[in-house]
Amino acid sequence: MGRPTLFLTVGLPCTGKTTAARRIETAHDALRLTKDEWVKALYGPGNPPLAGAVIEGRLIQIGLRALELGTNVVLDFGLWSRDERSALRRAAADLGARVELHYFTLTPSEQRRRRDRRQADAPHTTWPMSDGELVGWAAGLDVPTPGELDGSEPLDAPPAGFPTWHAWREHRWPPSAH
């Protein structure tokens, strides 16, 4: 059995991450962990920000355990910040797992078209997103570098105030909503 792989989907809403995560799940016998499915199941139409971070953290714990057991994992979260991706790359490396980043991007007009289609066809799978939110989120995305995508770029040091990526991960993805 080869080393397990952690697949990370990176991109804004409505760019194809979940569709690709489903393909990766099937093609690589991977455990697919999609945050939005859990938030929808637990909160319905609500989308509380702290709950999303806690759910991501719990899914990451499950994913890291699955990697330890030799199972491929695909995290379907968006992972907009380089720090998030670096923390997960470090965690996977610590377990001896490989990492593949898959970055998804679309023109703003195609993203809005997909958003509108999703809202019309499957509103139970999504939340309303305004054009302004899409623009704001795009401005906040740390686009992966070519070296980050192909794995050739070394990991950054953890952000100031955090001695390790594990400590940063615990801060970014708290264990509870309290």
Side-chain angles (χ1 to χ4, degrees), residues 76-129:
D76 177 21
F77 294 174
L79 302 168
W80 298 351
S81 87
R82 181 180 173 98
D83 285 345
E84 291 171 328
R85 299 185 301 267
S86 293
L88 294 170
R89 288 174 60 204
R90 172 82 273 152
D94 289 348
L95 296 172
R98 297 176 345 102
V99 176
E100 283 188 22
L101 265 68
H102 295 260
Y103 175 53
F104 302 89
T105 186
L106 292 173
T107 64
S109 61
E110 177 62 14
Q111 183 188 26
R112 286 191 307 275
R113 189 188 69 72
R114 287 184 181 192
R115 175 210 52 200
D116 294 345
R117 189 179 70 219
R118 181 190 298 174
Q119 193 62 54
D121 296 347
H124 62 284
T125 66
T126 191
W127 293 272
M129 294 174 253

Side-chain angles (χ1 to χ4, degrees), residues 11 17 19 21 62 71 74 83 100 104 125-126 128 130 134 158 161 167 170 177:
K17 295 180 310 297
T19 299
I62 292 167
T71 301
V74 57
D83 285 345
E100 283 188 22
F104 302 89
T125 66
T126 191
S130 71
L134 294 176
E170 293 287 314

Side-chain angles (χ1 to χ4, degrees), residues 54 57-58 61 170-171 173-178:
V54 171
R58 292 297 179 172
Q61 288 176 343
E170 293 287 314
H171 172 78
W173 293 293
S176 72
H178 302 291

Side-chain angles (χ1 to χ4, degrees), residues 14 43 73 101:
C14 305
Y43 295 97
V73 174
L101 265 68

